[in-house]
């Protein structure tokens, strides 16, 4: 896997997850008691936080955006376990979050190397 493929995976998972969350909670299966608007306000804003850095290809943003998708992993895994009616919806969310996760990890790693960024201390010569 190269830098460009990792970036494409990260962006595909990212924008796919934004679209999927909006479709799922807004149109396909809005929550009966809480309503679509509340669910969208709960799930969507977090995804917009890293948008500018991800569009610009900042490896640091790709790295910390991994932490923002953890609630989506947990949400999808929980629904896969407990809710038969929304399993396919949760599976799509899990696949998109996983795609973003893998793409972000490898893009941050490869692009960071290309730019000479490292958290390791250099050895004394």
């Amino acid at each position: 896997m190269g830098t460009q493929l990792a970036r494409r995976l990260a962006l595909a998972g990212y924008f796919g997850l934004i679209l999927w969350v909006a479709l799922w909670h807004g149109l396909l299966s809005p929550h009966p008691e809480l309503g679509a608007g509340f669910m969208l306000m709960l799930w969507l804003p977090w995804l917009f936080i890293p948008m500018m850095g991800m569009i610009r290809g900042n490896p640091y943003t790709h790295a910390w955006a991994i932490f923002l998708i953890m609630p989506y992993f947990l949400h999808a895994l929980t629904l896969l376990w407990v809710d038969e009616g929304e399993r396919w919806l949760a599976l799509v969310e899990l696949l998109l979050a996983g795609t973003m996760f893998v793409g972000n990890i490898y893009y941050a790693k490869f692009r960071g190397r290309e730019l000479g960024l490292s958290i390791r201390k250099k050895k004394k010569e």
Side-chain angles (χ1 to χ4, degrees):
M1 179 182 302
T3 306
Q4 290 305 315
L5 177 59
R7 179 158 163 75
R8 282 190 218 114
L9 283 175
L11 291 176
Y14 175 65
F15 288 114
L17 194 58
I18 290 173
L19 181 63
W20 184 250
V21 168
L23 282 173
W24 180 358
H25 296 294
L27 297 173
L28 297 175
S29 182
H31 197 280
E33 286 91 27
L34 299 176
F38 178 77
M39 292 304 286
L40 290 173
M41 289 301 294
L42 181 69
W43 287 104
L44 270 181
W46 305 107
L47 291 173
F48 292 115
I49 294 170
M51 183 176 280
M52 291 310 296
M54 289 191 63
I55 290 172
R56 291 180 183 145
N58 184 340
Y60 181 75
T61 304
H62 281 266
W64 66 257
I66 292 167
F67 296 108
L68 291 177
I69 59 172
M70 288 303 125
Y72 301 91
F73 270 117
L74 293 173
H75 179 251
L77 290 171
T78 301
L79 287 180
L80 281 171
W81 186 263
V82 300
D83 192 353
E84 290 181 25
E86 293 194 343
R87 278 196 179 135
W88 73 275
L89 299 167
L91 184 60
V92 173
E93 181 181 36
L94 184 63
L95 291 173
L96 290 168
T99 301
M100 182 181 168
F101 182 81
V102 170
N104 278 351
I105 286 176
Y106 282 105
Y107 180 74
K109 177 182 178 179
F110 294 149
R111 187 66 183 141
R113 282 184 186 166
E114 289 171 2
L115 296 173
L117 305 174
S118 178
I119 58 171
R120 295 184 198 157
K121 292 183 181 178
K122 292 185 179 182
K123 294 180 182 177
K124 293 182 182 180
E125 296 181 52

